[in-house]
Amino acid sequence: MSSPSITFYDIAQRPPVEKTCCSPNPWKTRLALNFKGLPYSTTWVPLPDIQKVRTSLQVRPCRKFADGTEFFTLPIIHDPATDSLIGDSFDIAVHLQKTYPNSGAGDLFPPQTLDYVFKNDYLLVPLSECRDSEYPEYAKFNLNVDAAFSAHVQLTVQGFPFDPATAETSKAEFVRRAGGMVARWEDFGLAGEARAKMMDSFRDMLGDLGKLFERDTSGPFLLGTRASYADMIVGAWLRNMCVTLPENEWEQVRNWHGGLFGRLYDALEVYAEVK
Ligand SMILES: N[C@@H](CCC(=O)N[C@@H](CS)C(=O)NCC(=O)O)C(=O)O
């Protein structure tokens, strides 16, 4: 008899959800699950239902909004093998490594130096605190990469694939979170010179991050031909950008810095199946 498989909770965007899913933290989990080759199924949760689902699973929130109130997020996984419910993408990756050390493509956390530090000018969203971790180098990298991409998230606003069924509720919620900074969702959008300036900043940020990828030129990954969770952290954000940026801008991103990020995106395709 085969054992029951893992349940992975991800955010449902516009149907078909398999093509539009673009939440970076759930993507980190999907890439890690596929890397480990573990059987799982995805439960798709509409954005306005995350609080309800997380509360009903009794998984405590791991983020807070700027005003100190709780922020209910995904991913969550339920792993029946250990009877665990885990509600943070980094904790999920650690759980998968500890519980299934030799599964699939092997070690998610091979030792490496990940000394990337993001200098934070534009950041809008408060990030989870960096907690004590078994893989502190990876935890710090996760935090810095999240900060670096989050600082440019305004580029993704116009292309965000809201599900028409819940779009108005979700847009109103994002406006509420901005605490009076904008009156309507559309006001978050960037065009013209302001957009070009943020694209420049995005390119420069990727240039800085890209220096880590240039240390080993034998392959698309930080460790050359060997993928690790650090590549997935960046790859998850690239998935978000691929879905939400206008096509011509995504093409630019793929080609900046000698095509490094396009190659990374393509190389992670083997772990990107949506199940
Ligand atoms: N530290 C958490 C953060 C998770 C998180 O921020 N998830 C976002 C999607 S990437 C979310 O659920 N957002 C729901 C919302 O904005 O309402 C993790 O890594 O899992």
Side-chain angles (χ1 to χ4, degrees), residues 11 23-26 47 50 62-63 71-75 88-89 128 174 177:
I11 303 172
S23 304
N25 289 301
L47 204 64
I50 296 174
C62 62
R63 268 184 93 162
F71 182 1
F72 294 83
T73 59
L74 294 179
D88 175 89
S89 58
S128 324
F174 286 124
R177 289 179 193 173

Side-chain angles (χ1 to χ4, degrees), residues 30-63:
R30 175 174 294 105
L31 293 167
L33 283 165
N34 289 336
F35 177 89
K36 283 289 183 188
L38 297 167
Y40 69 92
S41 62
T42 309
T43 297
W44 296 100
V45 181
L47 204 64
D49 292 351
I50 296 174
Q51 176 165 354
K52 195 173 68 195
V53 169
R54 193 163 175 119
T55 306
S56 73
L57 293 170
Q58 298 185 313
V59 181
R60 289 172 57 91
C62 62
R63 268 184 93 162

Side-chain angles (χ1 to χ4, degrees), residues 165-181:
T166 53
E168 291 319 309
T169 313
S170 299
K171 287 179 184 174
E173 170 60 10
F174 286 124
V175 169
R176 185 196 68 77
R177 289 179 193 173
M181 265 165 53

Side-chain angles (χ1 to χ4, degrees), residues 31-227:
L31 293 167
L33 283 165
N34 289 336
F35 177 89
K36 283 289 183 188
L38 297 167
Y40 69 92
S41 62
T42 309
T43 297
W44 296 100
V45 181
L47 204 64
D49 292 351
I50 296 174
Q51 176 165 354
K52 195 173 68 195
V53 169
R54 193 163 175 119
T55 306
S56 73
L57 293 170
Q58 298 185 313
V59 181
R60 289 172 57 91
C62 62
R63 268 184 93 162
K64 284 196 192 313
F65 290 115
D67 68 1
T69 57
E70 288 176 327
F71 182 1
F72 294 83
T73 59
L74 294 179
I76 293 174
I77 67 158
H78 175 240
D79 185 350
T82 50
D83 198 18
S84 331
L85 273 160
I86 309 162
D88 175 89
S89 58
F90 197 81
D91 294 346
I92 292 170
V94 171
H95 166 85
L96 297 179
Q97 184 51 36
K98 287 184 81 173
T99 315
Y100 309 99
N102 303 315
S103 288
D107 191 355
L108 279 167
F109 296 100
Q112 60 179 314
T113 305
L114 295 164
D115 50 352
Y116 169 69
V117 177
F118 173 63
K119 289 158 225 74
N120 175 352
D121 290 337
Y122 293 101
L123 195 60
L124 294 171
V125 188
L127 297 155
S128 324
E129 288 150 31
C130 195
R131 295 138 304 148
D132 291 341
S133 160
E134 293 191 53
Y135 303 103
E137 197 71 7
Y138 281 81
K140 192 165 49 76
F141 184 69
N142 189 38
L143 204 76
N144 277 282
V145 171
D146 281 358
F149 278 90
S150 297
H152 300 94
V153 85
Q154 236 186 314
L155 291 168
T156 70
V157 164
Q158 281 113 317
F160 193 84
F162 284 109
D163 181 351
T166 53
E168 291 319 309
T169 313
S170 299
K171 287 179 184 174
E173 170 60 10
F174 286 124
V175 169
R176 185 196 68 77
R177 289 179 193 173
M181 265 165 53
V182 297
R184 301 171 315 139
W185 167 256
E186 287 69 23
D187 299 341
F188 283 120
L190 272 183
E193 210 170 306
R195 189 169 187 92
K197 217 170 137 211
M198 196 169 273
M199 279 296 277
D200 285 350
S201 160
F202 188 38
R203 188 197 55 227
D204 294 348
M205 178 282 276
L206 286 178
D208 242 20
L209 179 60
K211 290 189 185 126
L212 271 70
F213 287 84
E214 283 161 3
R215 289 179 188 160
D216 186 331
T217 51
S218 68
F221 303 119
L222 285 155
L223 292 172
T225 53
R226 176 180 186 180

